[in-house]
Amino acid sequence: MKKIEILFILILICLKTNAQSAAEDKLGAWYMYNGSHKLNEKYSLQTMAHFRYYEVTSNFQQEIYRLGVNYKFNPKMNLTLGTSYATGDLAYNVSSPHLYEWRLYEDFNINSKWRKFKVRHRLRLEHRFIHKNIDTDETQNWFRYDLNVNYPITDSWSVYVFNEIFLNLDRSEVFAQNWTGAGFLRKINKNLKVKFGYFQIKQNSRTLKRVRIGLLLNTDFF
């Protein structure tokens, strides 16, 4: 598995070396925490904090915090209701107003398995309350569909691929963006995993490149 880590580092170096001056030519990074905290057999708390940058270690783009309550119908289906808060910089490397927003969201998750492949479908409705500057406020409703496939390599390592499409339901051109990526998961113990990977954000006018480095924490209070 050390070869995988070395290859990942070399990819980062190459992408950063080839970077130009526009946002779409930069290699950005997301530093992530995701948590699931079991309260009983049916309910759990979902927590999240993401810190996102236009470049690997600089040029702030967005930070977002999320809290939700999850209800498990059965091992294959569950529902999360929650809220999140985000603030972001609207432009790369120039002075611009920050965006602030609250979101309410509903997730419906379907989990399945085919041989060793684990598949998750997530359907999300988001209600975004956006404040761009002193006199600009708007409300938007979004639909997101995420397909995530995981395959174990060893007892400690697995590889994943995903694709997520975003639709803005309040605009005539509903397509907003599409995320496509892949990466590796490393299991540290039964409660803790680390994630690292690469993905692209396809928007109407540009494509952004990002690496993701994350910590996944699962706790059981039951």
Side-chain angles (χ1 to χ4, degrees), residues 195-216:
K195 170 190 287 189
F196 56 92
Y198 171 81
F199 77 112
Q200 291 189 342
I201 302 171
K202 175 64 177 178
Q203 299 173 335
N204 289 315
S205 59
R206 64 182 184 177
T207 299
L208 303 175
K209 300 175 287 291
R210 297 290 184 264
V211 294
R212 305 202 305 175
I213 302 172
L215 183 71
L216 285 74

Side-chain angles (χ1 to χ4, degrees), residues 50-54 59-65 85-92 94-103 130-133 206:
H50 285 193
F51 306 93
R52 303 170 179 178
Y53 294 87
Y54 285 108
N59 269 301
F60 166 79
Q61 181 183 7
Q62 186 186 48
E63 63 183 49
I64 181 168
Y65 305 91
Y85 172 76
T87 180
D89 190 344
L90 298 179
Y92 167 71
V94 296
S95 177
S96 65
H98 278 202
L99 176 147
Y100 303 90
E101 64 176 286
W102 285 98
R103 302 176 187 176
I130 303 168
H131 181 71
K132 289 185 178 180
N133 50 50
R206 64 182 184 177

